[in-house]
Amino acid sequence: TAATYAAQLAIRLHHAHPRILTRIETATSLEIQQRLDDGTFDAALTYQDSIGQDLAQVQVLYDVSYVLLAPENMVSSEQTSITWAEAADLPLSLLEPRMLNRRILDRMFSELGLKPRIIAETNGFTASMVMARAGVAATVVPEVLAKALGDFDGTVVLPLCKPRLSKPICLATPDRHSELPIVRALKQVALQ
């Protein structure tokens, strides 16, 4: 979910410290926690409520909100937003259930008493976005991703409302006695 923001953060880090090699990996929230704990991740971007704050330092960076990326033929050209109920009636391609993003969406649909019409599941947004562009399925993506990609031919981006859902995304780093210089540099760039 935070890969787009991670790329933007890596760009800012590169401009501030061009000799630092940045590696961006995607992982489930459980893998993120495990890899922070075992030291194989120096830092991670994840949902704030998915990280154990007893072994990590956490800095909230932004709130992620969700939009529907839908083929133009599935929604009215006059719509400026879409409700969760309307989105649930569309054929959807969503992240797979082991991904926290999907569990958040499932919880929202469930709390509203909705059963979404899911026709495909994937472990990354790319396949779902291609399906939207091809006119096969709509998908729910973080607003930051939709903004970073800009116009996606043949699709419409609509904010999801009633209710509006947002979750804090944070920078999590292991709670160590001596912080790595690279982590300190990343934190400074993130604060800017």
Side-chain angles (χ1 to χ4, degrees):
T1 303
T4 304
Y5 189 85
Q8 295 166 348
L9 193 55
I11 291 166
R12 294 194 330 244
L13 182 62
H14 174 72
H15 288 308
H17 305 278
R19 296 180 60 96
I20 292 177
L21 172 66
T22 304
R23 180 176 177 165
I24 299 172
E25 291 185 40
T26 58
T28 66
S29 56
L30 180 59
E31 291 168 331
I32 289 170
Q33 181 70 61
Q34 289 170 339
R35 293 191 64 189
L36 281 172
D37 291 347
D38 71 18
T40 56
F41 276 174
D42 293 324
L45 297 178
T46 189
Y47 291 100
Q48 181 183 16
D49 57 3
S50 73
I51 200 79
Q53 297 184 22
D54 53 334
L55 299 174
Q57 295 179 8
V58 175
Q59 173 184 344
V60 174
L61 299 175
Y62 67 98
D63 284 339
V64 66
S65 57
Y66 302 92
V67 296
L68 184 80
L69 176 68
E72 291 174 333
N73 64 346
M74 286 188 190
V75 294
S76 166
S77 62
E78 297 166 10
Q79 281 184 267
T80 57
S81 64
I82 191 165
T83 66
W84 289 90
E86 292 168 325
D89 286 338
L90 298 173
L92 294 172
S93 175
L94 300 177
L95 292 181
E96 62 188 5
R98 72 183 186 101
M99 304 297 286
L100 182 55
N101 170 273
R102 171 64 183 279
R103 294 192 308 269
I104 289 168
L105 300 182
D106 285 349
R107 191 168 32 248
M108 175 58 79
F109 285 124
S110 177
E111 286 174 6
L112 296 171
L114 302 169
K115 179 135 177 73
R117 198 172 103 190
I118 300 166
I119 65 164
E121 296 176 334
T122 180
N123 66 354
F125 290 111
T126 305
S128 293
M129 294 173 76
V130 169
M131 292 179 78
R133 187 165 187 223
V136 176
T139 188
V140 177
V141 298
E143 184 178 27
V144 67
L145 175 59
K147 283 183 177 181
L149 293 176
D151 292 336
F152 209 59
D153 289 339
T155 65
V156 175
V157 175
L158 298 170
L160 280 153
C161 63
K162 295 186 181 176
R164 185 175 184 281
L165 173 65
S166 70
K167 294 281 191 178
I169 298 292
C170 70
L171 174 64
T173 56
D175 195 7
R176 297 182 176 135
H177 292 293
S178 59
E179 190 170 65
L180 297 173
I182 229 166
V183 171
R184 201 168 29 255
L186 178 63
K187 284 181 173 181
Q188 288 170 348
V189 168
L191 285 173
Q192 296 169 352

